[in-house]
Coordinates of all heavy atoms in Angstrom, one line a residue:
M384 N 104.3 146.4 52.7 CA 103.6 147.5 53.3 C 103.0 148.3 52.1 O 103.7 148.5 51.1 CB 104.5 148.4 54.1 CG 104.9 147.8 55.4 SD 105.8 149.0 56.4 CE 107.4 148.4 56.2
G385 N 101.8 148.8 52.3 CA 101.2 149.6 51.3 C 101.6 151.0 51.3 O 102.3 151.5 52.2
H386 N 101.3 151.7 50.2 CA 101.7 153.1 50.1 C 100.8 154.0 50.9 O 101.1 155.2 51.1 CB 101.7 153.5 48.6 CG 100.4 153.3 48.0 ND1 100.1 152.1 47.5 CD2 99.4 154.1 47.7 CE1 98.9 152.1 46.9 NE2 98.4 153.4 47.0
N387 N 99.7 153.5 51.5 CA 98.8 154.3 52.3 C 99.2 154.3 53.8 O 98.5 154.8 54.6 CB 97.4 153.9 52.2 CG 96.9 154.1 50.8 OD1 97.4 155.0 50.1 ND2 95.8 153.5 50.4
M388 N 100.3 153.6 54.1 CA 100.7 153.5 55.5 C 101.2 154.8 56.1 O 102.1 155.4 55.5 CB 101.8 152.4 55.7 CG 101.3 151.0 55.3 SD 100.1 150.3 56.4 CE 101.2 149.8 57.8
T389 N 100.7 155.2 57.2 CA 101.2 156.4 57.9 C 102.3 155.9 58.9 O 102.4 154.8 59.2 CB 100.1 157.1 58.6 OG1 99.6 156.3 59.6 CG2 99.0 157.5 57.6
F390 N 103.0 156.9 59.4 CA 104.0 156.6 60.5 C 103.4 155.9 61.7 O 103.9 155.0 62.2 CB 104.7 157.9 60.9 CG 105.7 157.7 62.0 CD1 106.9 157.2 61.7 CD2 105.4 158.0 63.3 CE1 107.8 157.0 62.7 CE2 106.3 157.8 64.3 CZ 107.5 157.3 64.0
D391 N 102.2 156.4 62.1 CA 101.5 155.8 63.2 C 101.2 154.3 63.0 O 101.3 153.5 63.8 CB 100.3 156.6 63.6 CG 100.6 157.9 64.2 OD1 101.7 158.1 64.8 OD2 99.7 158.8 64.1
N392 N 100.7 154.0 61.8 CA 100.3 152.7 61.4 C 101.6 151.8 61.4 O 101.5 150.6 61.9 CB 99.7 152.6 60.0 CG 98.3 153.2 60.0 OD1 97.7 153.5 61.1 ND2 97.8 153.6 58.9
I393 N 102.6 152.3 60.8 CA 103.9 151.5 60.8 C 104.4 151.3 62.2 O 104.8 150.2 62.6 CB 104.9 152.2 59.9 CG1 104.5 152.2 58.5 CG2 106.3 151.5 60.0 CD1 105.3 153.1 57.6
W394 N 104.3 152.3 63.0 CA 104.8 152.2 64.4 C 104.0 151.1 65.2 O 104.5 150.3 65.9 CB 104.6 153.5 65.1 CG 105.1 153.5 66.5 CD1 104.4 153.3 67.6 CD2 106.5 153.8 67.0 NE1 105.2 153.4 68.8 CE2 106.5 153.7 68.3 CE3 107.6 154.1 66.3 CZ2 107.6 153.9 69.1 CZ3 108.8 154.3 67.0 CH2 108.8 154.2 68.4
E395 N 102.6 151.1 65.0 CA 101.8 150.2 65.7 C 102.1 148.7 65.2 O 102.1 147.8 66.0 CB 100.3 150.5 65.5 CG 99.9 151.7 66.3 CD 98.4 152.0 66.0 OE1 97.7 151.2 65.5 OE2 98.0 153.2 66.4
L396 N 102.3 148.6 63.9 CA 102.6 147.3 63.4 C 103.9 146.7 63.9 O 104.0 145.5 64.3 CB 102.6 147.4 61.8 CG 102.9 146.1 61.1 CD1 101.7 145.1 61.3 CD2 103.0 146.3 59.6
E397 N 104.9 147.5 64.0 CA 106.2 147.1 64.5 C 106.1 146.8 66.0 O 106.7 145.8 66.5 CB 107.3 148.2 64.3 CG 107.7 148.3 62.9 CD 108.4 147.1 62.4 OE1 109.2 146.4 63.1 OE2 108.2 146.7 61.2
E398 N 105.3 147.5 66.7 CA 105.1 147.3 68.2 C 104.4 146.0 68.4 O 104.7 145.2 69.3 CB 104.3 148.5 68.8 CG 104.3 148.5 70.3 CD 103.7 149.7 70.8 OE1 104.4 150.7 70.9 OE2 102.5 149.7 71.2
Q399 N 103.4 145.7 67.6 CA 102.6 144.5 67.7 C 103.5 143.3 67.4 O 103.5 142.3 68.1 CB 101.4 144.5 66.7 CG 100.3 145.3 67.1 CD 99.2 145.3 66.1 OE1 99.3 144.8 65.0 NE2 98.1 146.0 66.4
Q400 N 104.3 143.4 66.3 CA 105.2 142.3 66.0 C 106.2 142.0 67.1 O 106.5 140.9 67.4 CB 105.9 142.6 64.7 CG 105.0 142.5 63.5 CD 105.7 142.9 62.2 OE1 106.9 143.4 62.2 NE2 105.0 142.7 61.1
G401 N 106.7 143.1 67.7 CA 107.7 142.9 68.8 C 107.0 142.2 70.0 O 107.6 141.4 70.7
L402 N 105.7 142.7 70.3 CA 105.0 142.0 71.4 C 104.7 140.6 71.1 O 104.8 139.7 72.0 CB 103.7 142.8 71.7 CG 103.9 144.2 72.4 CD1 102.6 144.9 72.4 CD2 104.5 144.1 73.7
Q403 N 104.3 140.3 69.9 CA 104.0 138.9 69.5 C 105.3 138.0 69.7 O 105.2 136.9 70.2 CB 103.5 138.8 68.1 CG 102.1 139.3 68.0 CD 101.6 139.4 66.5 OE1 102.4 139.2 65.6 NE2 100.3 139.7 66.3
Q404 N 106.4 138.5 69.2 CA 107.6 137.8 69.4 C 108.0 137.5 70.8 O 108.4 136.4 71.2 CB 108.8 138.5 68.7 CG 110.1 137.8 68.7 CD 111.2 138.5 68.0 OE1 111.0 139.6 67.5 NE2 112.4 137.9 67.9
R405 N 107.8 138.5 71.7 CA 108.1 138.4 73.1 C 107.2 137.4 73.7 O 107.6 136.5 74.5 CB 107.9 139.7 73.8 CG 108.3 139.7 75.2 CD 108.3 141.1 75.9 NE 108.1 140.9 77.3 CZ 107.3 141.7 78.0 NH1 106.7 142.7 77.4 NH2 107.1 141.5 79.3
L406 N 105.9 137.4 73.4 CA 104.9 136.4 73.9 C 105.3 135.0 73.5 O 105.2 134.1 74.3 CB 103.5 136.8 73.5 CG 102.9 138.0 74.1 CD1 101.5 138.3 73.5 CD2 102.7 137.7 75.6
R407 N 105.7 134.8 72.2 CA 106.1 133.5 71.8 C 107.3 133.0 72.5 O 107.4 131.8 72.8 CB 106.4 133.5 70.3 CG 105.2 133.2 69.4 CD 105.5 133.2 68.0 NE 105.3 134.6 67.7 CZ 105.6 135.3 66.6 NH1 106.1 134.8 65.7 NH2 105.3 136.6 66.4
Q408 N 108.3 133.9 72.8 CA 109.5 133.5 73.5 C 109.2 133.2 75.0 O 109.7 132.3 75.6 CB 110.5 134.6 73.4 CG 111.1 134.7 72.1 CD 112.0 136.0 72.0 OE1 112.0 136.8 72.9 NE2 112.8 136.0 70.9
D409 N 108.3 133.9 75.6 CA 108.0 133.8 77.0 C 107.0 132.7 77.3 O 106.9 132.3 78.5 CB 107.5 135.1 77.6 CG 108.6 136.2 77.7 OD1 109.8 135.8 77.5 OD2 108.2 137.4 77.9
Y410 N 106.2 132.2 76.3 CA 105.2 131.3 76.6 C 105.7 130.0 77.2 O 105.1 129.5 78.2 CB 104.4 131.0 75.3 CG 103.3 130.0 75.4 CD1 102.1 130.4 76.1 CD2 103.4 128.7 75.0 CE1 101.1 129.5 76.3 CE2 102.4 127.8 75.1 CZ 101.2 128.2 75.8 OH 100.2 127.3 76.0
P411 N 106.8 129.3 76.7 CA 107.2 128.1 77.3 C 107.5 128.2 78.8 O 107.2 127.4 79.6 CB 108.4 127.7 76.5 CG 108.2 128.3 75.2 CD 107.5 129.6 75.5
A412 N 108.2 129.3 79.2 CA 108.5 129.5 80.6 C 107.3 129.8 81.4 O 107.1 129.3 82.5 CB 109.5 130.7 80.7
W413 N 106.3 130.5 80.9 CA 105.1 130.8 81.5 C 104.3 129.5 81.8 O 103.8 129.2 82.8 CB 104.2 131.8 80.7 CG 102.9 132.0 81.3 CD1 102.5 132.8 82.3 CD2 101.7 131.3 80.9 NE1 101.2 132.7 82.6 CE2 100.6 131.8 81.7 CE3 101.4 130.3 79.9 CZ2 99.3 131.3 81.6 CZ3 100.1 129.9 79.8 CH2 99.1 130.4 80.6
L414 N 104.3 128.6 80.7 CA 103.6 127.4 80.8 C 104.2 126.5 81.9 O 103.5 125.8 82.6 CB 103.6 126.7 79.4 CG 102.7 125.5 79.2 CD1 101.2 125.9 79.5 CD2 102.8 124.9 77.8
R415 N 105.6 126.4 81.9 CA 106.3 125.6 82.9 C 106.0 126.1 84.3 O 105.7 125.3 85.2 CB 107.8 125.7 82.6 CG 108.6 124.8 83.5 CD 110.1 124.8 83.1 NE 110.7 126.1 82.7 CZ 110.9 126.5 81.5 NH1 110.7 125.7 80.4 NH2 111.5 127.7 81.2
R416 N 106.0 127.4 84.5 CA 105.6 128.0 85.9 C 104.2 127.6 86.2 O 103.9 127.3 87.4 CB 105.8 129.5 85.9 CG 107.3 129.9 85.9 CD 107.4 131.4 86.2 NE 106.6 132.3 85.3 CZ 107.0 132.8 84.2 NH1 108.3 132.6 83.7 NH2 106.3 133.6 83.4
R417 N 103.3 127.7 85.3 CA 101.9 127.4 85.5 C 101.8 125.9 86.0 O 101.1 125.6 86.9 CB 101.1 127.6 84.2 CG 99.6 127.3 84.4 CD 98.9 127.7 83.1 NE 97.5 127.4 83.2 CZ 96.7 127.1 82.2 NH1 97.2 127.2 81.0 NH2 95.5 126.8 82.4
R418 N 102.5 125.0 85.3 CA 102.4 123.6 85.6 C 103.0 123.4 87.0 O 102.5 122.6 87.8 CB 103.2 122.7 84.6 CG 102.5 122.6 83.3 CD 103.2 121.6 82.4 NE 102.6 121.6 81.1 CZ 103.3 121.7 80.0 NH1 104.6 121.7 80.0 NH2 102.7 121.7 78.8
Q419 N 104.1 124.1 87.3 CA 104.7 123.9 88.6 C 103.8 124.4 89.7 O 103.7 123.8 90.8 CB 106.0 124.7 88.7 CG 107.2 124.1 87.9 CD 108.4 125.0 87.9 OE1 108.3 126.2 88.2 NE2 109.5 124.4 87.5
R420 N 103.1 125.5 89.5 CA 102.1 126.0 90.5 C 101.0 125.0 90.7 O 100.6 124.8 91.8 CB 101.5 127.4 90.1 CG 102.5 128.5 90.4 CD 101.8 129.9 90.2 NE 101.2 130.1 88.9 CZ 101.8 130.7 87.9 NH1 103.0 131.2 88.0 NH2 101.2 130.8 86.7
R421 N 100.5 124.5 89.6 CA 99.4 123.5 89.7 C 99.8 122.3 90.5 O 99.1 121.8 91.3 CB 98.9 123.1 88.3 CG 98.0 124.1 87.7 CD 97.4 123.6 86.4 NE 96.4 124.5 85.9 CZ 95.7 124.4 84.8 NH1 96.0 123.3 84.1 NH2 94.9 125.2 84.4
T422 N 101.0 121.8 90.2 CA 101.6 120.6 90.8 C 101.8 120.9 92.3 O 101.4 120.1 93.2 CB 102.9 120.2 90.2 OG1 102.7 119.9 88.8 CG2 103.5 119.0 90.9
A423 N 102.3 122.1 92.6 CA 102.5 122.5 94.0 C 101.1 122.6 94.8 O 101.0 122.1 95.9 CB 103.2 123.8 94.1
L424 N 100.1 123.2 94.2 CA 98.8 123.3 94.8 C 98.2 121.9 95.0 O 97.6 121.7 96.0 CB 97.9 124.2 94.0 CG 98.2 125.7 94.0 CD1 97.3 126.5 93.1 CD2 98.0 126.2 95.4
A425 N 98.3 121.0 94.0 CA 97.8 119.7 94.1 C 98.5 118.9 95.2 O 97.8 118.2 96.0 CB 97.9 118.9 92.8
S426 N 99.8 119.1 95.3 CA 100.6 118.4 96.4 C 100.1 118.9 97.8 O 100.0 118.2 98.7 CB 102.1 118.7 96.2 OG 102.5 118.1 95.0
I427 N 100.0 120.2 97.9 CA 99.5 120.8 99.2 C 98.2 120.3 99.5 O 97.9 120.0 100.7 CB 99.6 122.4 99.1 CG1 101.1 122.8 99.1 CG2 98.9 123.0 100.3 CD1 101.2 124.3 98.8
A428 N 97.3 120.2 98.5 CA 95.9 119.8 98.8 C 95.9 118.3 99.3 O 95.2 117.9 100.2 CB 95.1 119.9 97.5
V429 N 96.8 117.5 98.6 CA 96.9 116.1 99.1 C 97.4 116.0 100.5 O 96.9 115.2 101.3 CB 97.8 115.3 98.1 CG1 98.2 113.9 98.7 CG2 97.0 115.1 96.8
L430 N 98.4 116.8 100.8 CA 99.0 116.8 102.1 C 98.0 117.3 103.2 O 97.9 116.7 104.3 CB 100.2 117.7 102.2 CG 101.5 117.2 101.5 CD1 102.6 118.2 101.5 CD2 102.0 115.9 102.2
V431 N 97.2 118.3 102.9 CA 96.2 118.8 103.8 C 95.1 117.7 104.0 O 94.8 117.4 105.2 CB 95.5 120.1 103.3 CG1 94.3 120.4 104.0 CG2 96.5 121.2 103.3
V432 N 94.7 117.1 103.0 CA 93.7 116.0 103.1 C 94.2 114.8 103.9 O 93.6 114.3 104.8 CB 93.1 115.6 101.8 CG1 92.3 114.3 101.9 CG2 92.3 116.7 101.1
T433 N 95.5 114.4 103.6 CA 96.1 113.3 104.3 C 96.3 113.7 105.8 O 96.0 112.9 106.7 CB 97.4 113.0 103.7 OG1 97.2 112.7 102.3 CG2 98.1 111.8 104.4
G434 N 96.8 114.9 106.0 CA 97.0 115.4 107.4 C 95.7 115.4 108.2 O 95.6 115.0 109.4
F435 N 94.7 115.9 107.6 CA 93.3 116.0 108.2 C 92.8 114.6 108.5 O 92.3 114.3 109.6 CB 92.4 116.7 107.3 CG 91.0 116.9 107.9 CD1 90.8 117.8 108.9 CD2 89.9 116.2 107.5 CE1 89.6 118.0 109.5 CE2 88.7 116.4 108.1 CZ 88.5 117.3 109.1
S436 N 93.0 113.6 107.6 CA 92.6 112.3 107.8 C 93.4 111.6 109.0 O 92.8 110.9 109.8 CB 92.7 111.4 106.5 OG 92.0 112.0 105.5
I437 N 94.7 111.8 108.9 CA 95.5 111.2 110.0 C 95.1 111.8 111.3 O 95.0 111.1 112.4 CB 97.0 111.4 109.7 CG1 97.4 110.5 108.5 CG2 97.8 111.1 110.9 CD1 98.8 110.7 108.0
F438 N 94.9 113.1 111.4 CA 94.6 113.9 112.6 C 93.3 113.3 113.2 O 93.1 113.0 114.3 CB 94.5 115.4 112.3 CG 94.2 116.2 113.5 CD1 95.1 116.4 114.4 CD2 92.9 116.7 113.7 CE1 94.9 117.2 115.6 CE2 92.6 117.5 114.8 CZ 93.6 117.7 115.7
N439 N 92.3 113.1 112.3 CA 91.0 112.6 112.7 C 91.1 111.1 113.2 O 90.5 110.7 114.1 CB 89.9 112.7 111.6 CG 89.3 114.1 111.6 OD1 89.4 114.9 112.5 ND2 88.7 114.4 110.5
F440 N 91.9 110.4 112.5 CA 92.0 108.9 112.8 C 92.8 108.8 114.1 O 92.4 107.9 114.9 CB 92.8 108.2 111.7 CG 93.0 106.8 112.0 CD1 91.9 105.9 111.9 CD2 94.3 106.3 112.4 CE1 92.1 104.5 112.2 CE2 94.4 104.9 112.7 CZ 93.4 104.1 112.6
Q441 N 93.7 109.7 114.4 CA 94.5 109.6 115.6 C 93.6 109.9 116.8 O 93.8 109.2 117.9 CB 95.6 110.6 115.6 CG 96.5 110.7 116.8 CD 97.6 111.7 116.7 OE1 97.7 112.4 115.7 NE2 98.4 111.8 117.7
F442 N 92.7 110.8 116.7 CA 91.9 111.1 117.8 C 90.6 110.3 117.9 O 89.8 110.5 118.9 CB 91.5 112.6 117.8 CG 92.7 113.5 118.2 CD1 93.3 114.2 117.3 CD2 93.2 113.5 119.5 CE1 94.4 115.0 117.6 CE2 94.3 114.2 119.9 CZ 94.9 115.0 118.9
S443 N 90.3 109.5 117.0 CA 89.2 108.6 117.1 C 89.7 107.3 117.7 O 90.2 106.4 117.0 CB 88.6 108.3 115.7 OG 89.4 107.6 114.9
T444 N 89.5 107.2 119.0 CA 90.0 106.0 119.7 C 89.1 104.8 119.4 O 88.0 105.0 118.9 CB 90.1 106.3 121.2 OG1 88.8 106.6 121.6 CG2 91.0 107.4 121.6
H445 N 89.6 103.7 119.7 CA 88.9 102.5 119.4 C 88.0 102.1 120.6 O 88.0 101.0 121.0 CB 89.9 101.4 119.1 CG 90.7 101.6 117.9 ND1 91.0 102.8 117.4 CD2 91.3 100.8 117.0 CE1 91.7 102.7 116.3 NE2 91.9 101.5 116.1
R446 N 87.3 103.1 121.1 CA 86.4 102.8 122.2 C 85.1 102.2 121.7 O 84.7 102.5 120.6 CB 86.0 104.1 122.9 CG 87.2 104.8 123.5 CD 86.8 106.0 124.3 NE 86.0 106.9 123.5 CZ 85.6 108.1 124.0 NH1 85.9 108.5 125.2 NH2 84.8 108.9 123.2
K447 N 84.5 101.3 122.5 CA 83.3 100.7 122.1 C 82.1 101.4 122.7 O 81.0 100.8 122.8 CB 83.3 99.2 122.5 CG 84.4 98.4 121.8 CD 84.4 97.0 122.2 CE 85.6 96.3 121.5 NZ 85.8 94.9 122.0
Y448 N 82.4 102.6 123.3 CA 81.3 103.3 124.0 C 81.4 104.8 123.6 O 82.5 105.2 123.1 CB 81.5 103.1 125.5 CG 82.8 103.5 126.0 CD1 83.1 104.8 126.4 CD2 83.8 102.5 126.1 CE1 84.4 105.1 126.8 CE2 85.1 102.9 126.5 CZ 85.4 104.2 126.9 OH 86.6 104.5 127.4
D449 N 80.4 105.5 123.8 CA 80.4 106.9 123.4 C 80.9 107.8 124.5 O 81.7 108.7 124.3 CB 78.9 107.4 123.1 CG 78.4 106.8 121.8 OD1 79.3 106.5 120.9 OD2 77.2 106.6 121.7
N450 N 80.4 107.5 125.7 CA 80.8 108.4 126.9 C 80.6 107.6 128.2 O 79.8 106.7 128.2 CB 79.8 109.6 126.9 CG 80.6 110.9 126.8 OD1 81.8 110.9 127.0 ND2 79.9 112.0 126.6
V451 N 81.4 108.0 129.2 CA 81.2 107.4 130.5 C 81.1 108.5 131.5 O 81.8 109.5 131.5 CB 82.5 106.6 130.9 CG1 82.4 106.1 132.3 CG2 82.7 105.4 129.9
A452 N 80.0 108.4 132.3 CA 79.8 109.4 133.3 C 80.0 108.8 134.7 O 79.3 107.8 135.0 CB 78.4 110.0 133.2
C453 N 80.9 109.3 135.5 CA 81.2 108.8 136.8 C 81.6 109.9 137.7 O 82.3 110.8 137.3 CB 82.3 107.7 136.7 SG 82.7 107.0 138.2
N454 N 81.2 109.8 139.0 CA 81.6 110.8 140.0 C 83.0 110.6 140.5 O 83.5 111.6 141.1 CB 80.6 110.7 141.2 CG 79.2 111.1 140.8 OD1 79.0 111.7 139.8 ND2 78.3 110.8 141.7
R455 N 83.6 109.5 140.3 CA 85.0 109.3 140.8 C 86.0 109.6 139.7 O 86.0 109.0 138.7 CB 85.1 107.8 141.2 CG 84.1 107.5 142.3 CD 84.4 106.1 142.8 NE 85.6 106.1 143.6 CZ 86.1 105.0 144.1 NH1 85.5 103.9 144.0 NH2 87.2 105.0 144.8
S456 N 86.8 110.6 140.0 CA 87.8 111.0 139.0 C 89.1 110.2 139.3 O 89.3 109.6 140.4 CB 88.1 112.5 139.1 OG 88.6 112.8 140.4
G457 N 90.0 110.1 138.4 CA 91.2 109.4 138.5 C 91.2 108.0 138.1 O 92.2 107.3 138.0
I458 N 90.0 107.5 137.7 CA 89.9 106.1 137.2 C 89.5 106.2 135.7 O 88.6 107.0 135.3 CB 88.8 105.3 138.0 CG1 89.2 105.3 139.5 CG2 88.7 103.9 137.4 CD1 88.2 104.6 140.4
A459 N 90.3 105.5 134.9 CA 90.1 105.6 133.5 C 88.7 105.2 133.0 O 88.1 104.3 133.6 CB 91.1 104.7 132.8
E460 N 88.2 105.8 132.0 CA 86.9 105.5 131.4 C 86.8 104.1 131.0 O 85.8 103.5 131.0 CB 86.6 106.5 130.3 CG 86.4 107.9 130.7 CD 86.0 108.8 129.5 OE1 86.0 108.3 128.3 OE2 85.7 110.0 129.7
D461 N 87.9 103.6 130.5 CA 87.9 102.2 130.0 C 87.6 101.2 131.1 O 86.9 100.2 130.9 CB 89.3 101.8 129.4 CG 89.6 102.4 128.1 OD1 88.6 102.9 127.4 OD2 90.8 102.5 127.7
H462 N 88.0 101.5 132.3 CA 87.7 100.6 133.5 C 86.2 100.6 133.7 O 85.6 99.5 133.8 CB 88.4 101.1 134.7 CG 87.9 100.4 136.0 ND1 88.3 99.1 136.3 CD2 87.1 100.9 137.0 CE1 87.7 98.8 137.4 NE2 87.0 99.8 137.8
W463 N 85.6 101.7 133.7 CA 84.1 101.8 133.9 C 83.3 101.2 132.8 O 82.3 100.6 133.0 CB 83.7 103.2 134.2 CG 84.3 103.8 135.4 CD1 85.1 104.8 135.6 CD2 84.1 103.3 136.8 NE1 85.5 105.0 136.9 CE2 84.8 104.1 137.6 CE3 83.3 102.2 137.3 CZ2 84.9 103.9 139.0 CZ3 83.3 102.0 138.7 CH2 84.1 102.8 139.5
A464 N 83.9 101.3 131.6 CA 83.2 100.7 130.4 C 83.3 99.2 130.5 O 82.3 98.5 130.3 CB 83.8 101.2 129.1
K465 N 84.4 98.6 131.0 CA 84.5 97.2 131.2 C 83.6 96.7 132.3 O 83.0 95.6 132.2 CB 86.0 96.8 131.5 CG 86.9 96.9 130.3 CD 88.3 96.6 130.6 CE 89.2 97.0 129.5 NZ 90.7 96.8 129.9
V466 N 83.6 97.4 133.4 CA 82.7 97.1 134.5 C 81.2 97.0 134.0 O 80.5 96.1 134.3 CB 82.9 98.0 135.7 CG1 81.8 97.8 136.7 CG2 84.2 97.9 136.3
A467 N 80.8 98.1 133.3 CA 79.4 98.1 132.8 C 79.2 97.0 131.8 O 78.1 96.4 131.9 CB 79.2 99.5 132.2
S468 N 80.1 96.7 131.0 CA 80.0 95.6 130.0 C 79.8 94.3 130.7 O 79.0 93.5 130.4 CB 81.2 95.6 129.1 OG 81.1 94.5 128.3
N469 N 80.6 94.0 131.8 CA 80.5 92.8 132.6 C 79.2 92.7 133.2 O 78.5 91.6 133.2 CB 81.6 92.7 133.6 CG 83.0 92.4 133.0 OD1 83.0 91.9 131.8 ND2 84.1 92.8 133.7
I470 N 78.7 93.8 133.8 CA 77.4 93.8 134.5 C 76.3 93.5 133.5 O 75.4 92.6 133.8 CB 77.2 95.1 135.2 CG1 78.1 95.3 136.4 CG2 75.7 95.2 135.7 CD1 78.1 96.6 137.0
L471 N 76.3 94.2 132.4 CA 75.3 94.0 131.4 C 75.3 92.5 130.8 O 74.3 91.9 130.5 CB 75.4 95.0 130.3 CG 75.0 96.4 130.8 CD1 75.3 97.4 129.6 CD2 73.6 96.6 131.2
T472 N 76.5 92.0 130.7 CA 76.6 90.7 130.1 C 76.1 89.6 131.1 O 75.4 88.7 130.7 CB 78.1 90.4 129.8 OG1 78.6 91.4 128.9 CG2 78.3 89.0 129.1
M473 N 76.4 89.8 132.4 CA 76.0 88.9 133.4 C 74.4 88.9 133.5 O 73.8 87.8 133.7 CB 76.6 89.2 134.8 CG 78.0 88.8 134.9 SD 78.5 89.1 136.6 CE 79.9 90.1 136.4
E474 N 73.8 90.1 133.4 CA 72.4 90.2 133.5 C 71.6 89.5 132.4 O 70.5 89.1 132.5 CB 72.0 91.6 133.7 CG 72.3 92.1 135.1 CD 71.8 93.6 135.3 OE1 71.0 94.0 134.5 OE2 72.2 94.2 136.3
T475 N 72.3 89.6 131.2 CA 71.6 89.0 130.0 C 71.7 87.5 129.9 O 71.0 86.8 129.2 CB 72.1 89.6 128.7 OG1 73.5 89.4 128.6 CG2 71.8 91.1 128.7
L476 N 72.7 86.9 130.7 CA 72.9 85.5 130.7 C 71.8 84.8 131.5 O 71.1 84.2 131.7 CB 74.2 85.1 131.2 CG 75.4 85.5 130.3 CD1 76.7 85.1 131.1 CD2 75.4 84.7 129.0

């Protein structure tokens, strides 16, 4: 320390050194928490994308038709799609 150092300058220097030491000690724990947060966020993102994909796949049935319009309720759409397919197939033969 130089002979021109005032009490305030010495106080600030000591405070800075204490803060630097604390930052050096806390950095590894902070870095570990940061990596854990990033890993958790990445895992959640993967789960959301996977869940969304499964959800969409589950509701996308393997129908070979877009829609069936019929006045009779209680009969499955697949039945009418098969009937229409048979009719169209017979007419094209």
Side-chain angles (χ1 to χ4, degrees):
M384 288 190 254
H386 56 278
N387 293 341
M388 296 290 282
T389 63
F390 177 78
D391 289 335
N392 292 344
I393 295 171
W394 182 269
E395 286 178 17
L396 184 62
E397 288 296 320
E398 192 172 277
Q399 285 177 355
Q400 288 175 353
L402 289 174
Q403 288 174 350
Q404 182 180 3
R405 183 172 156 224
L406 287 173
R407 271 182 270 171
Q408 290 172 348
D409 291 346
Y410 181 72
W413 174 83
L414 192 58
R415 184 173 44 254
R416 286 191 307 269
R417 181 177 176 204
R418 285 185 190 136
Q419 287 174 344
R420 280 192 302 266
R421 282 187 174 179
T422 303
L424 287 174
S426 300
I427 289 170
V429 167
L430 287 174
V431 166
V432 168
T433 303
F435 184 73
S436 298
I437 290 172
F438 183 76
N439 279 342
F440 180 73
Q441 180 181 1
F442 288 108
S443 66
T444 58
H445 296 26
R446 300 185 305 183
K447 296 178 182 172
Y448 54 89
D449 293 331
N450 240 344
V451 173
C453 180
N454 292 344
R455 299 184 71 183
S456 62
I458 300 175
E460 290 182 357
D461 288 341
H462 169 74
W463 295 116
K465 287 177 189 173
V466 169
S468 175
N469 288 337
I470 291 171
L471 293 173
T472 304
M473 283 187 234
E474 288 185 13
T475 56
L476 291 175

